[in-house]
Amino acid sequence: IGPKFGKSAQQVAARIKDMTGAEITTMEQNGSVQLTSGEQTWTVAVDDVDAISKELATTLFRIFQGTLTNVARHAEATAVKVRLRQAENELCLQVADNGKGITLKQIEDPQSFGIMGIRERANLWNGSVQITGKARRGTTVTVRIPLPEEYTPS
């Protein structure tokens, strides 16, 4: 079983800092963290999540990394919100930006390797990926992964 995600917002913020060069500007009482890099602002919130396996934690990180790469390459966003939460029997990772918004054609494009990678990783855990975009209003990627029975409350 992997580490409890109690301090995860700070850990996720540290990963964003490493990946983007952003600086942590605010740490809220509720555990959320805000970072800035030039014109871009990242807000990270992680709810209290039970301990999970190292393999699932790695998968979630790779999915997260894929979404951040897509934001950096394509979104032209100035703000990104990241939230990881646990519903009773599933983990939900949501990354939303205020960029130009992905189109249905881009979502369905078989050459969208970043999206394909996100979907493949989620599928390994019987998860689902929902991607929505609104022109000039941004893109939201929501990944839901059911927790194995040993992680669900009885």
Side-chain angles (χ1 to χ4, degrees):
I1 295 177
K4 187 158 176 75
F5 276 97
K7 299 177 189 164
S8 289
Q10 294 173 20
Q11 293 169 339
V12 172
R15 295 286 189 170
I16 292 172
K17 182 178 179 181
D18 291 345
M19 292 168 59
T20 66
E23 292 299 320
I24 296 174
T25 55
T26 310
M27 295 181 84
E28 300 293 333
Q29 293 279 29
N30 65 5
S32 68
V33 178
Q34 192 166 62
L35 302 94
T36 57
S37 175
E39 299 287 316
Q40 221 166 27
T41 300
W42 305 79
T43 303
V44 179
V46 179
D47 295 352
D48 197 22
V49 175
D50 289 338
I52 58 173
S53 70
K54 182 178 179 183
E55 294 81 10
L56 179 52
T58 299
T59 297
L60 282 170
F61 175 71
R62 296 288 179 229
I63 290 170
F64 169 68
Q65 196 173 37
T67 61
L68 292 188
T69 299
N70 285 343
V71 168
R73 287 186 182 164
H74 307 293
E76 299 175 12
T78 59
V80 181
K81 292 184 180 179
V82 179
R83 182 169 184 211
L84 177 65
R85 68 183 190 280
Q86 179 178 339
E88 203 162 295
N89 61 350
E90 74 176 6
L91 289 174
C92 179
L93 172 66
Q94 188 169 64
V95 179
D97 68 58
N98 70 345
K100 62 184 181 180
I102 194 169
T103 65
L104 184 59
K105 182 179 178 185
Q106 291 168 318
I107 293 169
E108 295 175 348
D109 184 351
Q111 299 298 309
S112 293
F113 297 115
I115 292 173
M116 284 175 37
I118 291 167
R119 286 192 170 122
E120 286 172 2
R121 286 184 171 93
N123 285 337
L124 290 173
W125 291 88
N126 297 316
S128 65
V129 178
Q130 180 183 9
I131 303 170
T132 58
K134 293 183 180 174
R136 298 175 307 282
R137 299 190 84 186
T139 299
T140 300
V141 177
T142 304
V143 179
R144 287 184 166 73
I145 297 182
L147 288 170
E149 281 187 35
E150 64 264 28
Y151 301 117
T152 57
S154 39

